[in-house]
């Protein structure tokens, strides 16, 4: 962190708000609710809430993080939180916001993606709870239970006849066609397949199933139609036992035969001040898996946040209070060139997603890739900071010692051809550990290996490769 703001100053902050819906509203994280009664319902006692994601990739991305933060607010306030992985719906594809139909995934890819997202849900809530406690949140009781479920579990037991007879009979085609996600596709040249047209029924049944198991639903604002489809199915398709959803722990309402209701809540889609949408489909994904987006790139994404967005993102992506955010923004506005708010955002979000140990690694990677001196940096620190970064390559030390530096530049991926590498070295644009190399026949020596394990190659001002010797 820079200037006068530091995360250590937040450790003793007391967070007393007990209603996560009010907390989300204060942070600007509620786009719509199916009923204003949701606020009182959640405030009355422990409830359950779920959010689903289709496994279209092996990792969640920054667009999903806003929704995960919403779930985290419920979790740390003692509510049961459910992450739903769409092992079934992911094989179909959601038409919402799409102009063309998704390409089908192979069974192997789908299974790999389901496993990746399942593990990521678990990691996020483990790290998120620890982050919340470090930021002064008192997790109520032992915190709400965290469940990760796969909708293939229940859809895998349904035949086509079961689905049509038990779910399809409650759907009205006119209502389904009127939904924005379907209407826009019907009006397009590509149209919509029956497969994607039926997607809303699958999500509706997810809600119905979890309604009788646990609780309410929360999603991005582009999922409003799927949420309301689920509530409609819940109202029409009654179970033989009493309807139950988000039941207080004493189950008093059910015993008194009082009606209980399903609710839906949507959050805003993540956009910049210019209206650009973030997320995998927007082509600029920032992944939550450090194997897909390195710690450095993750951290730098937030450092590059525009001034017009940073205050809003501090509310979205961190657990800092409004007063703490105001303090950060006041410092930032006094010295905007220091990007105090952006560094606060980057540090907080990196800790939340990747854990406290990831922050010094991201800061070290930032120092190295912005040309800071390497004298005080240990080789093992470099290896750990760039562990999953594509900028690090592994070469045998013995082989590297026999290579001229132009060949080393080629083998490391710093240059795409040997002629390019030779030209680079001769022009004075090639560096080893920030030392300029001008002789293309020079060979890496023992002194060039930091702690005998790694050396830092650079071309120009900002193109880096780290070579780990083995």
């Amino acid at each position: 962190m820079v200037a006068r703001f530091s995360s250590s100053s937040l450790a003793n902050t007391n967070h007393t708000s007990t209603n996560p819906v009010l907390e989300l509203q204060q942070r600007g994280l509620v786009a719509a609710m199916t009923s204003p009664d949701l606020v009182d319902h959640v405030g009355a006692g422990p409830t359950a809430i779920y959010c689903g994601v289709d496994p279209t990739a092996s990792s969640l991305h920054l667009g999903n993080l806003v929704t995960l933060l919403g779930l985290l607010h419920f979790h740390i306030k003692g509510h049961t939180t459910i992450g739903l992985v769409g092992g079934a719906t992911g094989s179909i594809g959601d038409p919402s916001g799409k102009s063309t139909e998704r390409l089908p995934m192979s069974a192997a890819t789908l299974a790999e993606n389901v496993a990746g997202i399942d593990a990521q849900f678990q990691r996020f809530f483990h790290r998120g709870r620890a982050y919340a406690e470090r930021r002064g949140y008192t997790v109520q009781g032992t915190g709400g239970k965290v469940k990760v479920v796969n909708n293939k579990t229940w859809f895998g037991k349904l035949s086509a006849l079961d689905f049509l007879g038990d779910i399809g009979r409650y759907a009205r085609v006119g209502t389904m066609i009127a939904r924005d996600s379907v209407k826009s596709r019907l009006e397009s040249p590509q149209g919509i397949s029956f497969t994607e047209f039926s997607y809303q029924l699958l999500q509706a049944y997810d809600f119905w199933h979890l309604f009788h198991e646990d609780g309410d639903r929360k999603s991005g604002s582009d999922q409003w139609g799927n949420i309301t489809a689920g509530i409609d199915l819940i109202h029409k398709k009654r179970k033989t036992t009493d309807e139950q959803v988000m039941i207080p722990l004493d189950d008093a309402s059910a015993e008194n035969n009082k009606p209980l209701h399903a609710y839906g809540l949507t959050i805003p889609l993540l956009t910049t001040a210019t209206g650009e949408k973030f997320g995998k489909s927007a082509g600029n994904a920032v992944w939550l898996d450090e194997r897909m987006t390195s710690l450095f790139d993750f951290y730098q994404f937030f450092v590059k946040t525009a001034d017009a967005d940073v205050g809003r993102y501090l509310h979205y992506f961190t657990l800092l209070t409004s007063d703490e955010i105001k303090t950060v923004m006041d410092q930032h506005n006094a010295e905007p060139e220091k990007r105090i708010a952006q560094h606060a955002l980057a540090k907080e979000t990196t800790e939340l997603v990747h854990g406290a140990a990831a922050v010094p690694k991201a800061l070290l990677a930032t120092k190295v890739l912005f040309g800071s001196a390497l004298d005080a940096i240990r080789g093992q620190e470099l290896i750990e900071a760039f562990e999953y970064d594509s900028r690090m390559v592994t070469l045998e030390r013995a082989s590297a010692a026999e290579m001229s530096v132009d060949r080393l530049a080629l083998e490391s991926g710093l240059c795409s051809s040997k002629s390019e590498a030779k030209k680079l070295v001769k022009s004075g644009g090639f560096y080893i550990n920030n030392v300029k190399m001008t002789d293309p026949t020079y060979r890496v020596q023992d002194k060039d290996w930091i702690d005998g394990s790694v050396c830092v190659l650079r071309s120009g001002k900002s193109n880096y490769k780290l070579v780990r010797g083995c």
Side-chain angles (χ1 to χ4, degrees), residues 1 5-13 134-135 347-348 351:
M1 198 64 68
F5 177 81
S6 68
S7 58
S8 61
S9 66
L10 308 175
N12 296 319
T13 301
R134 287 192 294 268
R135 292 300 171 270
K347 198 170 183 180
E348 293 291 313
E351 180 177 345

Side-chain angles (χ1 to χ4, degrees), residues 270-382:
L270 181 62
T271 61
T272 66
T274 59
E276 182 183 0
K277 177 183 175 182
F278 284 103
K280 179 174 59 61
S281 59
N284 57 351
V286 177
W287 301 100
L288 306 189
D289 186 338
E290 63 183 291
R291 293 172 176 82
M292 298 171 68
T293 296
S294 70
L295 292 178
F296 170 80
D297 291 321
F298 186 89
Y299 186 91
Q300 285 301 312
F301 173 84
F302 289 102
V303 171
K304 295 174 183 176
T305 301
D307 286 347
D309 294 318
V310 69
R312 182 165 53 99
Y313 287 2
L314 281 166
H315 282 94
Y316 282 7
F317 292 116
T318 80
L319 294 183
L320 301 182
T321 66
S322 295
D323 288 342
E324 290 163 350
I325 292 172
K326 182 179 183 302
T327 298
V328 173
M329 292 306 299
D330 286 346
Q331 294 176 9
H332 172 79
N333 292 331
E335 300 176 289
E337 70 281 358
K338 292 185 177 181
R339 304 186 73 77
I340 293 172
Q342 282 87 346
H343 281 281
L345 174 65
K347 198 170 183 180
E348 293 291 313
T349 311
T350 300
E351 180 177 345
L352 167 67
V353 174
H354 296 294
V359 176
K361 294 179 183 179
L363 293 174
L364 177 61
T366 298
K367 286 178 59 177
V368 171
L369 297 182
F370 278 90
S372 295
L374 303 175
D375 300 346
I377 298 176
R378 309 302 301 176
Q380 187 58 35
E381 292 175 335
L382 283 172

Side-chain angles (χ1 to χ4, degrees), residues 24 65-73 124 316-319 352:
L24 295 179
L65 183 58
V66 191
T67 307
L68 290 177
L69 257 297
L71 293 180
L72 181 62
H73 281 286
F124 175 80
Y316 282 7
F317 292 116
T318 80
L319 294 183
L352 167 67

Side-chain angles (χ1 to χ4, degrees), residues 1-254:
M1 198 64 68
V2 296
R4 297 180 294 278
F5 177 81
S6 68
S7 58
S8 61
S9 66
L10 308 175
N12 296 319
T13 301
N14 185 28
H15 301 266
T16 58
S17 174
T18 59
N19 193 315
V21 178
L22 295 178
E23 174 86 14
L24 295 179
Q25 286 179 325
Q26 292 166 2
R27 291 179 177 273
L29 280 173
V30 175
M33 295 185 292
T34 55
S35 170
D37 294 341
L38 176 60
V39 177
D40 291 336
H41 184 78
V42 169
T47 62
I49 188 165
Y50 89 95
C51 178
V53 293
D54 281 344
T56 55
S58 61
S59 171
L60 302 173
H61 53 79
L62 195 59
N64 302 123
L65 183 58
V66 191
T67 307
L68 290 177
L69 257 297
L71 293 180
L72 181 62
H73 281 286
F74 276 83
H75 169 60
I76 61 181
K77 291 177 172 59
H79 301 269
T80 296
T81 305
I82 305 167
L84 170 63
V85 184
T89 46
S91 64
I92 302 300
D94 185 357
S96 301
K98 302 292 184 296
S99 58
T100 58
E101 188 165 352
R102 295 181 188 272
L103 294 175
M105 286 183 287
S106 68
T109 299
L110 183 61
E112 180 182 346
N113 292 352
V114 167
I117 292 177
D118 184 304
Q120 204 164 55
F121 264 126
Q122 302 283 3
R123 284 196 304 271
F124 175 80
F125 285 105
H126 174 74
R127 292 170 176 171
R129 175 175 171 144
Y131 168 74
E133 290 174 339
R134 287 192 294 268
R135 292 300 171 270
Y137 280 78
T138 301
V139 178
Q140 297 180 14
T142 58
K145 290 189 297 184
V146 173
K147 300 181 182 179
V148 180
V149 297
N150 183 344
N151 62 12
K152 191 173 182 179
T153 303
W154 48 90
F155 280 118
K157 300 174 183 178
L158 288 177
S159 69
L161 290 177
D162 290 336
F163 181 77
L164 291 173
D166 200 33
I167 304 169
R169 73 171 64 255
Y170 296 100
R172 293 295 173 262
V173 173
T175 303
M176 294 175 68
I177 290 175
R179 301 201 189 283
D180 290 340
S181 60
V182 174
K183 188 189 302 183
S184 61
R185 288 286 293 278
L186 287 173
E187 295 171 352
S188 70
Q190 293 82 9
I192 187 170
S193 69
F194 177 76
T195 299
E196 286 194 318
F197 179 66
S198 303
Y199 182 88
Q200 58 184 288
L201 291 184
L202 299 179
Q203 285 218 338
Y205 187 70
D206 281 343
F207 201 168
W208 184 92
H209 177 85
L210 291 173
F211 176 91
H212 294 287
E213 294 289 330
D214 288 290
D216 286 354
R217 179 174 179 193
K218 183 172 77 63
S219 289
S221 58
D222 60 346
Q223 295 296 310
W224 183 259
N226 292 327
I227 291 174
T228 55
I231 292 176
D232 186 54
L233 180 62
I234 288 166
H235 289 162
K236 291 178 178 178
K237 176 178 164 54
R238 296 283 174 161
K239 216 175 182 185
T240 54
T241 57
D242 289 340
E243 237 176 61
Q244 298 179 3
V245 60
M246 291 182 62
I247 301 174
L249 293 183
D250 61 5
D251 204 3
S253 296

